[in-house]
Amino acid sequence: MDVDGGRRAVLRAAVAGGVGTGLAAAGLAPPAAAAPGGAASGGRGPRIAILLYDGLTALDAVGPYEVLCRVPDASVVTVAKRAGTVRTDTGVLGLVADRALHQVRHADVLLVPGGGDRGVIAAMEDAETVNWVRRLHQRTTWTTSVCTGALILGAAGLLHRVPATTYWASRSYLESTFGAIYTPGRFVESGKIITAAGVSAGIDMALQLAAKLTDDRVAQALQLAVEYDPDPPFDTGSPEKAGPQLQQLALELLEAAAR
Amino acid sequence: MDVDGGRRAVLRAAVAGGVGTGLAAAGLAPPAAAAPGGAASGGRGPRIAILLYDGLTALDAVGPYEVLCRVPDASVVTVAKRAGTVRTDTGVLGLVADRALHQVRHADVLLVPGGGDRGVIAAMEDAETVNWVRRLHQRTTWTTSVCTGALILGAAGLLHRVPATTYWASRSYLESTFGAIYTPGRFVESGKIITAAGVSAGIDMALQLAAKLTDDRVAQALQLAVEYDPDPPFDTGSPEKAGPQLQQLALELLEAAAR
């Protein structure tokens, strides 16, 4: 290793001048100390609860998390049926839920990620999970979903005749099963419900949500904080752009990797 | 709840016709069974090791994971100094490493995510971690980093006079400390080393990597699988687009949320 004393602030090395006035310039107070373990209480900012469950799609939760956890004074908590580890839809990755459902009775923002068939169906059929979503929704400022997380909102009865989106392959299911009004878009806002399209769309939604929770400047800074200047090497990210053959291949790849 | 029998395949509801020919049409064999727990061994496809460490940035790891875990026959394993839970740079989220460093002696693809100052500096200063990165690199097909993960590659001595990128705020640090040649781009390929820019850039890199591990069609299908058709509500995802004031605010927001 050949590192100099500047390593103590590797993230600030490229920025000329000191820091310390940006938050004030944006009209924001210095952040309050958050509770250890990410408890969704105690802060002055929005309390954000992210539902985790076995079989979820990790990026559905982690994309929005990465933006929302840096909203000034926000407290973010991960919540699952039981506190502890959940495994993702591929079985490859474990994420930790710090709280059980019964420990979190209120959130300003509820985020429900999607998952593979197994995980989403189990969540939709689990009365405790669905009742928790419905109960939190009564007092949220924003109730949000990513991908097939919309189906869990649907199972909670929140999407009947509500404009919404979901994973591209689940659009008709969302309409036929829950009576939602499928509406194109990376995310769709309907009153206090915001549904995002599949997986990565949660990042786009979270930036919009950050703007609503604070203001455009903070959301713009958060976009830079996660260096979200997307430039994928292909342009096949929507079913319309990809066409039917890639749609079929995508679903087979999903199924082959599912656990 | 009001759900019909079609819920058993919520992800396939929108696709007309059966599935089962896409992999064959793409010239791919059906996937082999993967080892439980995501062990990076036993499969016929690429063995992919994702380094986790306390203080990492979750999206740096999870963005690429979400793409690469669905490369046909790939086996993905999460690795940390000790197997078990690591906490992210914000302290809010726990990710599970299934293997300790000494348990993973080879990988076809090594992915090193970035993190906040605390986590990256600790990883750079940890001889076991840096030696493991250097040792695996000797036999990898691809050695990759996201964000400040490049600094860990640098600490392992892999980036001297190598064109590379990193998190926008760490560009000059990468050059001055490790002798890398900072090169603009969402990801930069230099021989078998691919470095991605900050956080979300790992998704772009992973799609390119998926194409290298298979072919363009599979990578395009994986882009659709994660519905990566980005459309952020703002256009401030690079420091050049954001300007100095948003740069400063971004760094302050990062610091305020850091644990």
Side-chain angles (χ1 to χ4, degrees):
Chain A
M1 288 192 288
D2 176 30
V3 289
D4 63 27
R7 70 190 318 179
R8 291 290 160 200
V10 295
L11 295 180
R12 292 192 293 278
V15 178
V19 295
T21 61
L23 287 169
L28 296 164
S41 61
R44 293 170 300 170
R47 291 175 288 183
I48 299 167
I50 301 177
L51 177 67
L52 302 182
Y53 53 90
D54 274 313
L56 91 161
T57 300
L59 186 53
D60 290 22
V62 171
Y65 147 82
E66 203 66 80
V67 172
L68 297 174
C69 65
R70 297 185 172 94
V71 165
D73 294 327
S75 57
V76 177
V77 66
T78 48
V79 194
K81 206 166 155 63
R82 279 176 289 277
T85 299
V86 304
R87 300 295 295 195
T88 57
D89 46 3
T90 62
V92 167
L93 184 62
L95 300 177
V96 178
D98 286 330
R99 295 289 183 275
L101 294 177
H102 68 85
Q103 294 177 292
V104 177
R105 299 172 179 278
H106 173 67
D108 299 304
V109 176
L110 169 63
L111 178 88
V112 179
D117 279 1
R118 176 180 58 84
V120 171
I121 290 167
M124 289 194 298
E125 289 182 343
D126 182 69
E128 185 187 4
T129 298
V130 168
N131 288 337
W132 181 84
V133 167
R134 190 185 298 116
R135 194 165 61 242
L136 256 70
H137 172 69
Q138 292 172 355
R139 293 172 59 203
T140 57
T141 308
W142 301 103
T143 298
T144 71
S145 66
V146 179
C147 197
T148 48
L151 305 182
I152 300 172
L153 297 191
L158 307 185
L159 294 186
H160 190 61
R161 296 188 187 169
V162 172
T165 189
T166 185
Y167 192 57
W168 59 269
S170 302
R171 293 171 184 172
S172 64
Y173 185 90
L174 183 73
E175 290 205 311
S176 63
T177 307
F178 302 116
I181 302 164
Y182 167 69
T183 305
R186 285 295 275 176
F187 49 84
V188 173
E189 188 181 334
S190 307
K192 73 174 189 177
I193 295 176
I194 312 178
T195 51
V199 195
S200 59
I203 303 172
D204 296 323
M205 181 186 74
L207 290 169
Q208 183 71 27
L209 187 55
K212 291 175 176 297
L213 293 171
T214 56
D215 58 39
D216 283 3
R217 268 184 57 77
V218 168
Q220 288 163 354
L222 290 172
Q223 183 177 2
L224 177 61
V226 297
E227 206 163 338
Y228 188 46
D229 186 31
D231 187 17
F234 308 103
D235 189 19
T236 56
S238 75
E240 295 77 14
K241 291 174 178 174
Q245 289 189 321
L246 285 178
Q247 291 175 32
Q248 182 155 316
L249 180 55
L251 293 174
E252 288 189 49
L253 291 168
L254 286 166
E255 189 170 334
R259 295 291 177 274
Chain B
M1 290 193 290
D2 176 29
V3 289
D4 62 28
R7 72 193 314 181
R8 292 288 161 201
V10 295
L11 294 180
R12 291 193 292 277
V15 179
V19 295
T21 61
L23 287 170
L28 295 164
S41 62
R44 293 170 299 170
R47 290 174 290 182
I48 299 167
I50 301 177
L51 178 67
L52 302 182
Y53 53 90
D54 274 313
L56 90 162
T57 300
L59 186 52
D60 290 21
V62 171
Y65 147 82
E66 203 66 81
V67 172
L68 297 174
C69 66
R70 296 185 173 94
V71 166
D73 294 326
S75 57
V76 177
V77 65
T78 49
V79 194
K81 208 167 154 61
R82 280 176 289 276
T85 299
V86 304
R87 300 296 296 195
T88 58
D89 47 2
T90 60
V92 166
L93 183 63
L95 301 177
V96 178
D98 286 330
R99 294 288 183 276
L101 294 178
H102 69 84
Q103 295 178 290
V104 177
R105 298 172 180 276
H106 174 65
D108 300 304
V109 176
L110 170 62
L111 179 88
V112 179
D117 280 0
R118 176 180 59 83
V120 171
I121 290 166
M124 289 194 296
E125 289 181 343
D126 182 69
E128 185 187 4
T129 298
V130 168
N131 288 337
W132 180 83
V133 167
R134 190 186 299 115
R135 196 166 58 242
L136 256 70
H137 172 69
Q138 292 174 356
R139 293 171 60 203
T140 57
T141 308
W142 301 103
T143 298
T144 71
S145 67
V146 179
C147 197
T148 49
L151 305 181
I152 299 172
L153 297 190
L158 307 186
L159 294 185
H160 188 62
R161 298 186 184 167
V162 172
T165 189
T166 186
Y167 192 58
W168 60 269
S170 303
R171 293 171 184 173
S172 64
Y173 185 91
L174 183 73
E175 289 205 312
S176 64
T177 306
F178 301 116
I181 303 163
Y182 168 69
T183 304
R186 285 296 274 175
F187 49 86
V188 174
E189 188 180 334
S190 308
K192 73 175 190 180
I193 295 177
I194 312 177
T195 50
V199 196
S200 60
I203 303 172
D204 296 323
M205 180 186 73
L207 290 169
Q208 183 71 26
L209 188 55
K212 290 175 176 296
L213 294 170
T214 56
D215 58 39
D216 283 3
R217 266 185 59 76
V218 167
Q220 289 163 354
L222 290 172
Q223 184 177 0
L224 178 61
V226 297
E227 205 162 341
Y228 187 45
D229 187 31
D231 188 17
F234 308 104
D235 189 20
T236 56
S238 76
E240 295 77 15
K241 291 174 177 173
Q245 290 188 321
L246 285 178
Q247 290 174 33
Q248 183 156 316
L249 181 55
L251 293 175
E252 289 187 49
L253 291 168
L254 284 167
E255 190 170 333
R259 295 291 178 276

